[in-house]
């Protein structure tokens, strides 16, 4: 069995859900659940000490919102990836999650294998959204920004990187695809976000999905 190389923290107010998630995530040995909580306040106390790579949060909780947890976690340590789970196809939650810096947004109806794969992807630096809710984001972006100015602001190499971000690739995967150093790709991503006036990689991924559709 492989030694665990991805550390995950679970936030959900239903114990049976947390137990099920834990069992699925730890099945193959490469993921370890290092902490869990049922409430927002409890999670914010425990996450720093747990030092997770990924935090999986329920969007709606008895004492607050998983989106607020996402925002605070990202402000404290931007290297932690946050994956938002919800039972509802709520566009506003999706938009709020993206703005808060979530790396992914999935409906709880997702298959177990797909959820585990999603955790691995966001831990590697990729961004992802559930296809059933991506359409609303693209529609909002379509009405909110013209098509060409974004690309005109970028160099050809930056446009290539942006397109690969839109395909959900991590910095390491982009580096391999473009035969570049991973640090160089990270610098490109930083420049792209600055030029496009975006705060999060997930926002760039959604924008790329429209621009390169």
């Amino acid at each position: 069995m492989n030694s665990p190389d991805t550390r995950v923290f679970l936030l959900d107010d239903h114990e049976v859900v947390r137990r099920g998630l834990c069992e699925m995530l730890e099945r193959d040995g490469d993921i370890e659940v290092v902490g869990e909580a049922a409430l927002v306040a409890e999670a914010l106390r425990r996450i720093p000490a747990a030092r997770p790579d990924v935090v999986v949060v329920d969007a709606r909780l008895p004492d607050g919102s998983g989106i607020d947890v996402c925002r605070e976690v990202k402000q404290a340590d931007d290297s932690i990836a946050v994956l938002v789970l919800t039972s509802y196809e709520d566009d506003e939650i999706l938009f709020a999650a993206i703005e808060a810096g979530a790396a992914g947004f999935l409906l709880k109806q997702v298959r177990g294998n797909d959820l585990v794969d999603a955790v691995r992807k966001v831990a590697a630096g990729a961004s992802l959204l559930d296809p059933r809710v991506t359409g609303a984001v693209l529609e909002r972006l379509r009405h909110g920004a013209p098509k060409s100015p974004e690309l005109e602001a970028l160099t050809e190499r930056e446009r290539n990187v942006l397109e690969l971000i839109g395909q959900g690739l991590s910095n390491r995967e982009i580096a391999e695809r473009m035969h570049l150093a991973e640090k160089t790709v990270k610098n490109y991503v930083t420049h792209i976000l600055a030029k496009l006036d975006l705060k999060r990689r997930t926002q760039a991924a959604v924008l790329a999905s429209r621009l390169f559709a």
Side-chain angles (χ1 to χ4, degrees):
M1 181 179 292
N2 298 328
S3 59
D5 51 21
T6 299
R7 298 166 59 85
V8 177
F9 190 98
L10 302 176
L11 171 56
D12 193 290
D13 58 319
H14 296 100
E15 182 182 5
V16 67
V17 173
R18 296 197 307 274
R19 286 182 179 235
L21 289 173
C22 184
E23 184 176 333
M24 283 189 295
L25 291 170
E26 293 189 331
R27 181 182 55 208
D28 295 331
D30 62 324
I31 297 173
E32 178 185 7
V33 175
V34 294
E36 60 180 70
L39 300 172
V40 168
E42 184 182 13
L44 293 176
R45 285 196 308 269
R46 294 181 177 179
I47 287 173
R51 295 180 293 108
D53 301 302
V54 179
V55 177
V56 179
V57 303
D58 190 355
R60 290 186 172 98
L61 294 155
D63 65 334
S65 165
I67 307 302
D68 293 334
V69 174
C70 175
R71 186 175 295 107
E72 293 205 30
V73 166
K74 297 299 290 183
Q75 287 176 350
D77 186 348
D78 195 47
S79 69
I80 299 175
V82 180
L83 189 59
V84 177
L85 292 179
T86 181
S87 303
Y88 312 96
E89 294 191 40
D90 188 327
D91 292 348
E92 291 307 317
I93 289 179
L94 173 57
F95 301 137
I98 292 173
E99 288 295 327
F105 182 97
L106 294 171
L107 298 176
K108 283 188 175 179
Q109 297 91 318
V110 67
R111 293 171 53 188
N113 288 341
D114 292 337
L115 174 61
V116 174
D117 188 47
V119 168
R120 292 191 181 113
K121 284 182 177 179
V122 298
S127 301
L128 60 94
L129 294 169
D130 190 298
R132 286 173 290 178
V133 291
T134 304
V137 179
L138 297 180
E139 184 64 25
R140 179 171 288 195
L141 282 172
R142 189 173 295 118
H143 290 296
K147 196 162 191 174
S148 57
E150 295 98 330
L151 293 181
E152 290 175 358
L154 305 179
T155 66
E156 182 178 356
R157 184 59 64 88
E158 288 168 345
R159 287 196 292 269
N160 292 338
V161 171
L162 179 61
E163 183 172 7
L164 294 176
I165 290 174
Q167 294 174 18
L169 273 63
S170 66
N171 286 352
R172 180 177 299 178
E173 291 169 330
I174 293 173
E176 292 174 354
R177 181 78 64 89
M178 298 182 66
H179 306 290
L180 297 170
E182 188 173 350
K183 184 176 180 180
T184 301
V185 173
K186 184 176 181 180
N187 289 336
Y188 275 127
V189 173
T190 299
H191 294 155
I192 290 168
L193 294 180
K195 286 184 176 182
L196 298 181
D197 194 26
L198 300 174
K199 296 179 181 179
R200 303 293 181 186
R201 183 190 185 95
T202 313
Q203 294 173 311
V206 172
L207 182 60
S209 298
R210 175 177 66 83
L211 294 175
F212 298 102

